[in-house]
Each structure stands twice: as C-alpha cells, then as structure tokens.
Amino acid sequence: MEADDPEAYRSEVLGQFRAGLSTLFEPEALDACVDSGVRERAPEESCTYLAFVDAASGSGKDAFTVGVAHRDGERAVLDVVRAWQPPFNPSGVIAEASDLLRTYRCTEATGDRYAPGFVSEGFRIHGIDKLDSDKDRSALYLELLPAVNARAVALLDLPDLLRELRGLERRRGTSGRDR
C-alpha cells in the first residue's frame, strides 16, 4: 500500500477493524428455525414452560420483553414473545407480563439484573418469582448459536424478533473470546 494513497489506507484499516465482526446467525440457519406463519402458540397442558424477562424502564429506547418456551424432546420451542415499547409504566407492564406468565403456568421467570429490587418485587407482588440469570446477554446469545445451527430451536414468525436476531453481531473480544 502506498503511503500517499489515503483511500487504500482507509480501506485496509477498515478491513482490519471489521475482520473481528460478523453477524451472529447465518440467515439460512435462522430461517430454517422459523415456523412460518406461527406468531404464538397457545399453552398446552402437557408442556412445562420456562420464561425469560428482559426488563426496561419505560422511558428510554429499550422495550420490556417477555418470552415463554418449552422443550419438545431435544428441541426448544418458543411459544410467545411480548414486547412493550416505551413509553410505558413499568409497574403496569409487570402486571400484564405476570398475567401472561400465569396463562403458561409459569410461577418464575429468569431475567437479567436490570433494576433487581424493583423488577423482582414487582413480579413477586403478582405471584411470580423473578430469578437472576447467571449468564449475561452475550453468553445467552452465544449459547443459542449452536442450537440454531443444529435446527434445535423452533422460533415464532415475528418480524421484530427476527429483525433483532438478524441484526446481532459477533465480535472477537480482546481476550480472543466471542461476544
């Protein structure tokens, strides 16, 4: 590369910068896991459900999201996802989310450590134990990757969910580990 060619230098630097960045899921692998046309699955008596909560304050850009899934043999099946876009009243959303969780017979939900006292107490008031995940968001998504690649996941056909999953980026951290 010539030192007097700024465009070539810029391209090389950007190429090196982006070398550690890629989409997390291959589009074809993700598409193979989507149950086309299925936007929600009704609760079934024969299933044991698990819930995950991604809480938000209601005033920023983040949605408050709840997901419920079950196992079908070796396959994880996503049954319902609900998201409340800001602005919203977090106490009201926790009440609505608790009602949803009870329809799937969930008495507990795992989630991140966002506002732990407020979120946990809010769910407890509505009869739901909110447990803290021992994994951060990066670890959870990286754990999902082999399941998607093995088609061991059944996803819902929800445009917002799929857009979020398609937009995830995989980065090589400074220690060499993916995030």
Side-chain angles (χ1 to χ4, degrees):
M1 167 177 63
E2 295 292 319
D4 59 350
D5 186 355
E7 189 57 37
Y9 175 78
R10 182 175 173 274
S11 293
E12 182 172 320
V13 169
L14 283 176
Q16 289 172 359
F17 173 74
R18 292 182 180 160
L21 179 68
S22 64
T23 58
L24 180 61
F25 300 108
E26 292 295 324
E28 298 80 18
L30 196 59
D31 291 345
C33 293
V34 175
D35 284 347
S36 185
V38 179
R39 299 173 82 59
E40 189 168 308
R41 293 179 177 86
E44 296 180 15
E45 284 298 319
S46 62
C47 294
T48 301
Y49 295 97
L50 301 171
F52 194 89
V53 174
D54 186 8
S57 69
S59 60
K61 295 181 181 178
D62 290 339
F64 192 116
T65 308
V66 174
V68 177
H70 73 276
R71 281 238 168 262
D72 183 11
E74 295 299 313
R75 198 167 182 212
V77 179
L78 184 59
D79 293 283
V80 63
V81 173
R82 293 279 166 75
W84 291 264
Q85 299 296 329
F88 58 78
N89 174 331
S91 296
V93 169
I94 289 172
E96 287 181 48
S98 297
D99 288 344
L100 174 67
L101 295 176
R102 279 193 299 277
T103 65
Y104 286 86
R105 298 179 314 283
C106 292
T107 58
E108 63 183 33
T110 303
D112 61 16
R113 290 179 172 85
Y114 177 81
F118 174 78
V119 175
S120 295
E121 179 64 11
F123 276 106
R124 189 194 62 73
I125 288 168
H126 295 284
I128 305 292
D129 289 327
K130 196 276 189 175
L131 311 173
D132 290 335
S133 174
D134 58 346
K135 295 179 178 147
D136 66 13
R137 185 181 315 215
S138 281
L140 291 169
Y141 284 128
L142 287 170
E143 190 176 278
L144 179 61
L145 180 61
V148 166
N149 289 339
R151 295 180 71 173
V153 178
L155 298 172
L156 297 169
D157 193 356
L158 298 171
D160 289 345
L161 169 67
L162 298 173
R163 184 180 65 253
E164 293 269 341
L165 292 173
R166 288 182 182 118
L168 290 174
E169 296 174 339
R170 183 178 190 174
R171 298 173 189 220
R172 180 78 55 192
T174 54
S175 66
R177 295 178 56 199
D178 283 344
R179 355 178 247 125

